[in-house]
């Protein structure tokens, strides 16, 4: 490939060339179990910027990468869900801190991916950080809002507490490079669940950069696993996987969402999140976050 | 000449074995580990691996209930899988296992000889073996005296293995080398030959109580030893058992490839190759379910053992 001709402005190659240095190019890999492995299949695909120029190669995840990611997510589940809600909130807030520290990098990637102007890109990054902080604040409030003490006609203390469903498969939205990604990812883990995120095929690189943020901010490895590649290739395997407990089909293209919902129901009755399309800048509401929770109700006998 | 006739003859023989190219062995094991087993071959490999398992529980906390459940699973792993080769337990649980696997092809193996350290007087070890055999064990997994081996008292080790072999009667003898304590692959090769010369029916990598347990390079050296021994000793085929740390179907396949490529196809048989494992069986079953149902299964659908 004649890189010189195809490389876009703003990429590492052209920046380094201007400064007279050898380019330090980044290999975008997957994020599984806290590590950044290449695809088990060894495949990659070309990611282009908004103008169609070569940006980078990203790993093209296979079904076996999806399988490994589910194993990693399952392994991380007891630890993450077992933490106190307060501690989860702290860890998620830390993610927002690190995200904020990489503001310029994310803005550059959003620009390159979508072609928006600098101010718009910065506004999207800021909105993403704010969104993450908003969800971090929810961590130790979910139980009060979603749970409760129930009145019953009998000598029992009866209360309901929300519990995470387990491992979720999250298909990131196709129409947003960063804000939409953050808006589907944070609610999947704030309640104590773990997840396998399938990045949008159009904007995979911000998802991997976000994984770098997660890897360096006290979030235990395996709580979030990021796959890049073709959603239509890996999503059916996740939808039918007996060890996946929920699926968010937001990023499923065309008729695939229907197939995924059928596969999810036909295997182990996964919780399927199929929320109406929203503007990612709007108030996210609590549906997405509560969709990953189940209610445990406890009847505790009381002495008379 | 009988090389086990004296300490000096034995030392001369064992130290006369060619040294192991450690880097080469690692490279060969690594290269073979990259072979992939797919589709129909994978289906066959899964069932072969299951039929080679010595389903093992060697914990202080073993209860009769747990062992009984394990025996039931050994007879019928479920999902259409064949029974495993054997169950492997401590000697006091042998009578329970014998009753639980009666009428099935599953054999009962018992560890003995002051497992896992092997630190006891010979008569205590022999009593341990005899009680397990009397209780109905089909196979005895003994440990060698690593202290004697490492200090060069090869004849002592050899005599002990021979005495245990005599005490076994009809039971098959597996000799555990505990390769994680032998230091070098040269040591593994010598211990393998020492055990085979002294009457072992099987040589086994490890107790599972010492890290590292079974590794591919170690198993490679042991497979070479049984292959060469068969040529040396008029075709007597000794088996190999890899035990400890083999948890996934992928790991198991690597061992099967190794057996096929190093020892040869004749060793791809539960009579000559075993996998000592506990959690491996569930992973093999999950893979089996994946191939049958076309979707991934999960640990929620497997027994907790």
């Amino acid at each position: 490939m004649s890189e010189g001709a195809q490389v876009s402005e703003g990429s590492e190659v052209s920046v380094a060339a201007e400064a007279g240095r050898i380019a330090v190019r980044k290999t975008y890999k997957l994020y599984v179990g806290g590590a950044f492995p290449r695809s088990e299949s060894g495949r990659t695909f070309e990611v282009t910027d908004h103008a169609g120029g070569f940006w980078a190669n990203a790993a093209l995840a296979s079904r076996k990468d999806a399988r490994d990611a589910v194993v990693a997510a399952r392994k991380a589940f007891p630890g993450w869900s077992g933490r106190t809600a307060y501690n989860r909130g702290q860890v998620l807030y830390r993610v927002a801190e690190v995200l904020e520290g990489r503001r310029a990098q994310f803005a550059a990637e959003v620009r390159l991916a979508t072609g928006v102007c600098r101010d718009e890109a910065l506004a999207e990054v800021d909105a993403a950080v704010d969104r993450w902080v908003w969800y971090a604040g929810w961590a130790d409030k979910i139980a009060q809002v979603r749970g409760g003490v129930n009145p019953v006609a009998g000598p029992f203390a009866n209360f309901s507490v929300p519990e995470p469903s387990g491992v979720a498969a999250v298909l990131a939205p196709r129409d947003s490079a960063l804000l939409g990604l953050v808006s589907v990812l944070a609610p999947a883990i704030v309640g104590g669940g773990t997840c396998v995120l399938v990045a949008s095929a159009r904007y995979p690189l911000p998802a991997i950069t976000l994984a770098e943020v997660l890897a360096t901010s006290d979030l235990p490895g395996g709580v979030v696993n990021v796959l890049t590649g073709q959603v239509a290739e890996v999503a059916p395997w996740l939808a039918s996987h007996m060890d996946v407990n929920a699926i968010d089909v937001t990023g499923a293209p065309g008729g695939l969402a229907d197939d995924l919902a059928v596969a999810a129901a036909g295997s182990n009755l996964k919780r399927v999140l199929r929320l109406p399309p929203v503007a990612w800048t709007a108030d996210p509401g609590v549906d997405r976050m509560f969709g990953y929770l189940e209610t445990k109700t406890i009847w505790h006998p009381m002495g008379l | 000449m009988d090389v086990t006739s004296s300490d000096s003859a034995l030392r001369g023989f064992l130290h006369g074995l060619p040294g192991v190219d450690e880097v080469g062995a690692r490279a060969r094991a690594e290269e073979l580990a990259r072979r992939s087993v797919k589709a129909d071959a994978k289906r066959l490999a899964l069932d072969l691996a299951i039929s080679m398992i010595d389903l093992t529980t060697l914990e202080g906390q073993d209860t009769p209930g747990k062992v009984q459940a394990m025996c039931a699973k050994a007879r019928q792993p479920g999902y259409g899988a064949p029974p495993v080769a054997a169950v492997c337990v401590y000697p006091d649980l042998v009578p329970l296992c014998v009753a639980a696997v009666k009428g099935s092809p599953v054999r009962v193996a018992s560890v003995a000889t002051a497992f896992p350290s092997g630190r006891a007087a010979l008569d205590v070890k022999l009593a341990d073996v005899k009680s397990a055999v009397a209780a109905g064990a089909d196979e005895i997994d003994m440990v060698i005296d690593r202290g004697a081996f490492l200090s060069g008292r090869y004849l002592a080790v050899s005599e002990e293995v021979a005495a245990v072999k005599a005490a076994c009667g009809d039971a098959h003898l597996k000799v555990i080398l505990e390769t994680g304590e032998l230091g070098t692959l040269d040591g593994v090769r010598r211990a393998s030959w020492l055990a085979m010369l002294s009457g072992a029916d099987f040589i086994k990598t490890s107790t599972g109580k010492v890290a590292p347990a079974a590794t591919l390079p170690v198993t490679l050296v042991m497979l070479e030893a049984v292959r060469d021994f068969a040529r040396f000793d008029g075709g007597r085929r000794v088996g190999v058992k890899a035990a400890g740390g083999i948890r996934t179907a992928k790991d198991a396949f690597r061992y099967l490839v190794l057996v096929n490529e190093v020892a040869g196809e004749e060793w791809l048989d539960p009579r000559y190759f075993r996998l000592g494992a506990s959690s491996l069986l569930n992973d093999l079953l999950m893979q089996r379910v994946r191939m049958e149902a076309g979707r991934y299964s999960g640990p929620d659908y497997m027994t907790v053992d």
Side-chain angles (χ1 to χ4, degrees), chain B residues 113-133:
Chain B
T113 72
F115 180 92
S117 66
R119 294 277 166 187
L122 182 60
D123 49 353
V124 175
K125 292 183 183 175
L126 293 178
D128 199 9
V129 172
K130 282 174 189 153
S131 81
V133 173

Side-chain angles (χ1 to χ4, degrees), chain B residues 5 8 10 17 20 31 45 50 64 146 149 187 195 204 215 224 242 251 271 273:
Chain B
S5 60
S8 60
L10 197 50
L17 290 169
V20 180
E31 186 200 315
I50 290 171
R146 280 88 76 191
F149 179 82
K204 173 173 165 184
T215 64
E224 284 174 351
D251 289 340
R271 286 176 300 163
F273 189 75

Side-chain angles (χ1 to χ4, degrees), chain A residues 40 63-64 67 74 237 240-243 245 266-268, chain B residues 37-38 42 250 287 290 294-301:
Chain A
E40 168 274 344
R63 73 172 161 83
K64 292 195 174 173
R67 175 198 64 185
R74 175 58 63 193
W237 290 98
S240 67
H241 199 307
M242 297 296 275
D243 207 26
N245 306 101
S267 52
N268 62 347
Chain B
V37 181
K38 304 250 186 241
K42 182 172 178 183
K250 209 172 200 174
Q287 293 291 323
R290 212 281 294 152
R295 62 165 180 249
Y296 285 112
S297 184
D300 284 356
Y301 302 88

